[in-house]
């Protein structure tokens, strides 16, 4: 088991990123967790090294962007970010910039959260942006790229998202019907996403996309 590792988290103040941080802090394989974000997590821990930065200008922090692994948990919603240019700058620009720094600084593992249905030619803007992000990231010379494609991410968020909350309640009621071809649409918890990311980062294997159904499968078997 490899020990003494350093991991970088982008988005540690978000739902999935905060859970990922908690798990990495407890993981004995990691000595240092670098956080690149706009706001402090307000968590005091000897493993944490916080970098308060403008995530749109990650390239300015190239010298500090060194690690064994990078976990990109950045993402927004159309409701929270209605302006398409800003939305793309977050969901496409930040992950791609992080992947570029991984390539430049010889970081061998890059894990990023995408979305179910991500396609470069999707008629839906959200899925198209995710698809373009995936394509650009996969062009980078990084030893292992892990792209997770979750369906709706369950869990309680700090900010109020009324439409998303209502949809989650509906999905809870329909969850037991999601079998066979519909199984791939089952909501997935942020805990399962975080556990899958860490497991795959510490498992031998090459670049791969992990669809929603496989996230459930991997996490359920850990």
């Amino acid at each position: 088991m490899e020990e003494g590792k350093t991991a970088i988290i982008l988005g540690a103040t978000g739902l999935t990123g905060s859970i990922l941080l908690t798990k990495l802090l407890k993981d004995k394989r990691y000595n240092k967790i670098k956080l690149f974000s706009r706001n402090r997590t307000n968590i005091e821990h000897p493993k944490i090294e916080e970098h308060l930065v403008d995530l749109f200008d990650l390239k300015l922090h190239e010298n500090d962007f060194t690690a064994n692994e990078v976990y990109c948990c950045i993402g927004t919603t159309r409701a929270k970010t209605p302006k398409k240019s800003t939305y793309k700058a977050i969901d496409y620009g930040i992950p791609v910039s992080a992947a570029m720094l991984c390539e430049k600084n010889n970081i061998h593992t890059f894990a990023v959260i995408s979305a179910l249905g991500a396609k470069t030619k999707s008629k839906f803007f959200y899925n198209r942006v995710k698809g373009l992000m995936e394509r650009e990231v996969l062009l980078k010379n990084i030893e292992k790229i892990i792209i997770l494609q979750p369906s709706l991410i369950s869990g309680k968020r700090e900010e109020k998202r009324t439409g998303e909350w209502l949809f989650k309640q509906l999905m809870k009621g329909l969850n037991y019907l999601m079998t066979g071809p519909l199984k791939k649409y089952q909501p997935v918890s942020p805990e399962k996403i975080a556990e899958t990311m860490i497991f795959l980062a510490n498992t031998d294997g090459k670049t791969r996309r992990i669809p929603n159904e496989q996230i459930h499968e991997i996490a359920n078997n850990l």
Side-chain angles (χ1 to χ4, degrees), residues 21-62:
L21 172 59
T22 298
K23 291 183 181 297
L24 289 180
L25 290 176
K26 294 177 181 178
D27 196 317
K28 294 180 180 179
R29 291 171 294 193
Y30 297 85
N31 282 355
K32 183 183 293 186
I33 314 297
K34 294 183 177 182
L35 309 180
F36 285 77
S37 55
R38 292 178 300 171
N39 303 306
R40 292 193 180 278
T41 59
N42 294 320
I43 298 174
E44 296 294 331
H45 196 285
K47 284 187 180 182
I48 290 178
E49 179 181 302
E50 286 199 88
H51 297 265
L52 298 183
V53 304
D54 180 353
L55 292 173
F56 296 130
D57 274 319
L58 269 179
K59 62 181 180 294
L60 300 178
H61 307 279
E62 176 186 332

Side-chain angles (χ1 to χ4, degrees), residues 137-207:
V137 165
L138 289 169
L139 290 174
K140 306 305 177 214
N141 184 24
I142 302 170
E143 184 178 331
K144 185 195 294 185
I145 298 172
I146 303 161
I147 298 174
L148 276 74
Q149 299 176 318
S151 179
L152 183 69
I153 301 175
S154 60
K156 186 176 181 181
R157 300 178 187 272
E158 289 187 7
E159 72 269 23
K160 186 177 181 181
R161 298 181 182 180
T162 305
E164 184 177 299
W165 180 85
L166 290 172
F167 186 63
K168 283 179 180 179
Q169 304 315 303
L170 175 63
M171 294 298 278
K172 282 180 182 179
L174 297 176
N175 205 34
Y176 72 97
L177 295 175
M178 291 186 173
T179 58
L182 295 178
K183 192 174 182 180
K184 65 180 180 180
Y185 298 109
Q186 285 184 338
V188 61
S189 70
E191 287 83 7
K192 285 187 176 182
I193 295 173
E195 289 166 2
T196 299
M197 293 176 91
I198 296 170
F199 172 76
L200 292 175
N202 288 278
T203 303
D204 291 337
K206 297 182 179 179
T207 292

Side-chain angles (χ1 to χ4, degrees), residues 204-221:
D204 291 337
K206 297 182 179 179
T207 292
R208 58 196 297 198
R209 285 184 173 96
I210 311 298
N212 189 63
E213 192 172 347
Q214 197 172 352
I215 296 172
H216 281 285
E217 183 182 340
I218 291 172
N220 289 341
N221 286 309

Side-chain angles (χ1 to χ4, degrees), residues 27-157:
D27 196 317
K28 294 180 180 179
R29 291 171 294 193
Y30 297 85
N31 282 355
K32 183 183 293 186
I33 314 297
K34 294 183 177 182
L35 309 180
F36 285 77
S37 55
R38 292 178 300 171
N39 303 306
R40 292 193 180 278
T41 59
N42 294 320
I43 298 174
E44 296 294 331
H45 196 285
K47 284 187 180 182
I48 290 178
E49 179 181 302
E50 286 199 88
H51 297 265
L52 298 183
V53 304
D54 180 353
L55 292 173
F56 296 130
D57 274 319
L58 269 179
K59 62 181 180 294
L60 300 178
H61 307 279
E62 176 186 332
N63 292 337
D64 294 317
F65 205 90
T66 56
N68 300 96
E69 303 158 6
V70 171
Y71 296 89
C72 186
C73 303
I74 292 293
T76 186
T77 64
R78 282 168 289 186
K80 188 177 179 182
T81 312
K83 190 174 181 180
K84 287 186 175 181
S85 58
T86 304
Y87 184 97
K88 187 174 181 180
I90 295 170
D91 276 52
Y92 171 88
I94 295 173
V96 170
S97 293
M100 291 175 64
L101 289 178
C102 284
E103 180 180 48
K104 192 165 188 179
N105 290 345
N106 198 29
I107 298 172
H108 60 68
T109 299
F110 180 65
V112 60
I113 300 175
S114 181
L116 183 68
K119 293 181 180 178
T120 58
K121 296 183 179 180
S122 174
K123 63 180 180 179
F124 300 107
F125 178 73
Y126 175 82
N127 289 342
R128 188 164 66 250
V129 168
K130 290 292 191 182
L132 291 169
M133 179 274 290
E134 289 188 11
R135 184 179 69 181
E136 193 64 30
V137 165
L138 289 169
L139 290 174
K140 306 305 177 214
N141 184 24
I142 302 170
E143 184 178 331
K144 185 195 294 185
I145 298 172
I146 303 161
I147 298 174
L148 276 74
Q149 299 176 318
S151 179
L152 183 69
I153 301 175
S154 60
K156 186 176 181 181
R157 300 178 187 272

